[in-house]
Each structure stands twice: as C-alpha cells, then as structure tokens.
Amino acid sequence: FRVTTLPPSIMMTTGIIPRDHPSSRSIAYDYGAMRHLDRLLPAAALTLVLLLGASPAERPVVIAVGGDVDSFNEYVAASTLAFYLADQLYLTLMEESPDHSAGPPGFAPRLARSWEFGADGLSVTFHLREDVRWSDGRETTAADVLYTWQSQIDPKLGWPDAELKTNITGVDTPDPRTVVFRLRKRTPYTLLEINEGHILPRHALETIPRDQWHQTDFSKNLVTNGPYRLAAWNPGQSIELTRNPDYYEKELPRIGRVLFRIVTEPAIRL
C-alpha cells in the first residue's frame, strides 16, 4: 500500500481510529495506492494495530471504498476496485515497479522466479516458482499461464486490453515450470505487455465458455493464489479478505484480515 501521507491519515482511512479522533483529518483516498496492499499496508497497519493492543489476527484493517465490484474476474470486470482486488487475490508473472517516469518499468520476480530473452530478442523464457498453489491445493503451472494468454486474446471474451498482446505470436510450455513467449518484434515494452493481466486457474475455469464469463458469478468457489483469499462478499455492503496461509512469501501479508466497507456517500466515507 503506497501511502504518501502516513499516520494519522492511514489510521482514519482504514478505520483503525475513528473519524472523530483528535488526530484524524480529511484526506483524499486513491485506489491506486492499493496495488501493493499485501506489502506496504500490512507493514504500516501492523504497527498501528499493535499500538492499539490487538494482534493482527484479532483486528482487521477496515477500508472504506466508494463502490462495489462487478466481478471477481478482472477480464470481465469494469469497476476500479475489482482490478486492485485482483492483485491481492492473484499473481502476475512479475512484480512491476510503480515508477514509469523514466521509461519502461523494472520488474522483480513474482510467479516467475527468473526469465531471460532469447539470443535474437524474439522470445522470453520464464521459469516459474515451485511453491505456488491455488487455494484448492492444485499447483500453479505453465498450463495456467498458457490458458490465461489464450483467454486474453480470445475474441469471444473481448478483453479490452487484448491489444497489449498483439506482439505475442505464441506461447510454448515445454514443461510445467517453463513458459516461452514468442514475439513478432523486439520492443522496449515487451515485459510490460507480457506481464499485463493476472494468471488464472485453468482447471477452475476451462469448463466455463469464455462467452459466458460476463454472466458468471465468480465469487462462488473462487480459486486464487495471491496473498489474500476471498472470505466473504456481501454485495453492496462489504468484501472481506483473509490472509492466504499458503502464500509463498511466508512473512506476508502481516495483516490477517482486510475488510472493505462499501460507502457510497463521500462525506460519510471520510
């Protein structure tokens, strides 16, 4: 959670201290700050929770948001919140640097532990981690990466960002831990384009035709592999995430529960 204003603003936004607390003040809340919720918000909120005498597991971080999600599948979602929740529930191949000011962003390992370009620059080979599992216990493999790319470019789905994948001519999976993206040409944005979109669980979705995804309620039996899992969704009221006990970064996230309360009135939200 990248925060430009530290406590007490974090405490008020998350609901850790009440709005009428002497140290609270009005602040602007930006959805964009939520992208790294699993890394930075837990670190800040953990300190605040402990100061209030509660363990991270006992007291959830509460975040007021202005609207609900329309789907828990980012490839058919239109709501802003859905895209940021996706980063808590699913993994991308790499962790993208938030700073694009100097050109294409840098990347760190996430689902992929390493990668390298081919000698001609027209392919990128990713080597996947071996310790990432879906919430139903199945391993996350190269087949999931291939299935995700196939979904992204499927005209029956009509993903709005499909044009970002036009430089990819094909995806090979020589083994369950290796994925090779073949490219039309070399560009400075190759990794950015490959990394766009979270990896989906093939085994949980392949029986649902993609032209029916827009009508499907994915909150039922949701299979995820990110730092958090969906614990409860009360449409129009709240969304609760709980820590994924099988997350590959064992020290993260450090907050056990995150509760998003849907408050449509801005004055009440602040």
Side-chain angles (χ1 to χ4, degrees), residues 16-50:
I16 292 177
I17 62 174
R19 188 173 183 271
D20 59 356
H21 190 279
S23 61
S24 67
R25 65 173 183 270
S26 296
I27 60 169
Y29 183 70
D30 183 0
Y31 279 120
M34 290 165 53
R35 179 169 179 82
H36 300 288
L37 176 67
D38 60 309
R39 293 178 180 275
L40 299 181
L41 174 57
L46 177 63
T47 301
L48 300 174
V49 169
L50 292 177

Side-chain angles (χ1 to χ4, degrees), residues 107-124:
F107 293 91
R110 203 171 190 198
L111 175 56
R113 57 178 172 79
S114 64
W115 55 90
E116 68 270 353
F117 280 83
D120 59 2
L122 295 178
S123 68
V124 186

Side-chain angles (χ1 to χ4, degrees), residues 76 147 150-152 154 156-157 208-214:
V76 296
Y147 176 78
Q150 292 170 335
S151 300
Q152 291 169 337
D154 189 341
K156 293 181 180 179
L157 176 60
I208 308 172
R210 295 190 187 102
D211 58 4
Q212 296 180 17
W213 281 16
H214 286 272

Side-chain angles (χ1 to χ4, degrees), residues 234-248:
N234 297 307
Q237 298 182 48
S238 64
I239 301 167
E240 182 178 355
L241 306 183
T242 56
R243 184 183 188 276
N244 176 5
D246 300 319
Y247 191 50
Y248 71 91

Side-chain angles (χ1 to χ4, degrees), residues 43-242:
L46 177 63
T47 301
L48 300 174
V49 169
L50 292 177
L51 286 173
L52 292 172
S55 73
E58 293 173 343
R59 183 162 188 155
V61 168
V62 181
I63 301 175
V65 294
D68 205 348
V69 297
D70 52 343
S71 176
F72 284 92
N73 183 328
E74 69 178 287
Y75 295 103
V76 296
S79 63
T80 304
L81 181 59
F83 298 121
Y84 292 103
L85 286 179
D87 211 49
Q88 316 313 319
L89 298 170
Y90 299 96
L91 297 179
T92 48
L93 282 170
M94 300 169 286
E95 180 74 29
E96 180 183 327
S97 165
D99 184 7
H100 295 208
S101 60
F107 293 91
R110 203 171 190 198
L111 175 56
R113 57 178 172 79
S114 64
W115 55 90
E116 68 270 353
F117 280 83
D120 59 2
L122 295 178
S123 68
V124 186
T125 300
F126 291 86
H127 305 281
L128 306 185
R129 301 182 62 94
E130 299 178 354
D131 53 356
V132 177
R133 291 185 175 274
W134 296 105
S135 53
D136 61 0
R138 298 276 291 268
E139 294 184 358
T140 303
T141 70
D144 298 308
V145 180
L146 172 59
Y147 176 78
T148 300
W149 173 72
Q150 292 170 335
S151 300
Q152 291 169 337
I153 65 172
D154 189 341
K156 293 181 180 179
L157 176 60
W159 184 43
D161 291 332
E163 63 181 19
L164 294 174
K165 306 297 179 176
T166 56
N167 193 42
I168 301 170
T169 61
V171 176
D172 301 322
T173 56
D175 63 63
R177 299 281 173 247
T178 306
V179 185
V180 182
F181 285 80
R182 291 180 276 110
L183 311 171
R184 297 183 191 280
K185 59 183 179 181
R186 291 178 287 183
T187 79
Y189 297 98
T190 293
L191 292 180
L192 181 68
E193 293 168 349
I194 290 175
N195 198 53
E196 185 64 28
H198 295 79
I199 304 304
L200 298 172
R202 185 188 72 169
H203 67 282
L205 298 179
E206 61 183 348
T207 60
I208 308 172
R210 295 190 187 102
D211 58 4
Q212 296 180 17
W213 281 16
H214 286 272
Q215 292 78 45
T216 301
D217 181 0
F218 290 98
S219 69
K220 299 177 180 178
N221 302 315
L222 190 66
V223 176
T224 61
N225 64 355
Y228 286 94
R229 294 178 179 177
L230 178 66
W233 177 38
N234 297 307
Q237 298 182 48
S238 64
I239 301 167
E240 182 178 355
L241 306 183
T242 56

